[in-house]
Amino acid sequence: MEHPNMQGKLCKCPHHKMLPALVALGGFFWLLGTLSVFTMGFVNVAVALLVIIGGLSSVFEGGCKCC
């Protein structure tokens, strides 16, 4: 029986989308730093915080029934 959060082979659980969203957000900050919209110091801190949040979320998230 297929889990209700699964549609085909793609999982619709929100915690499976968090890490890719943090990577995309980190890339966005990096791009804005390269374009001098933000200072590189701000970008370095923001990307480091996103990596920490992503790591902690993967450590503390509960097991998923769809995996």
Side-chain angles (χ1 to χ4, degrees), residues 9-31:
K9 293 191 184 276
L10 297 176
C11 180
K12 298 298 179 188
C13 295
H15 67 271
H16 287 152
K17 296 179 183 178
M18 184 172 186
L19 192 58
L22 290 174
V23 169
L25 193 57
F28 182 70
F29 279 127
W30 192 1
L31 174 66

Side-chain angles (χ1 to χ4, degrees), residues 23-46:
V23 169
L25 193 57
F28 182 70
F29 279 127
W30 192 1
L31 174 66
L32 291 178
T34 303
L35 295 173
S36 298
V37 174
F38 293 133
T39 64
M40 286 309 288
F42 173 80
V43 171
N44 290 336
V45 170

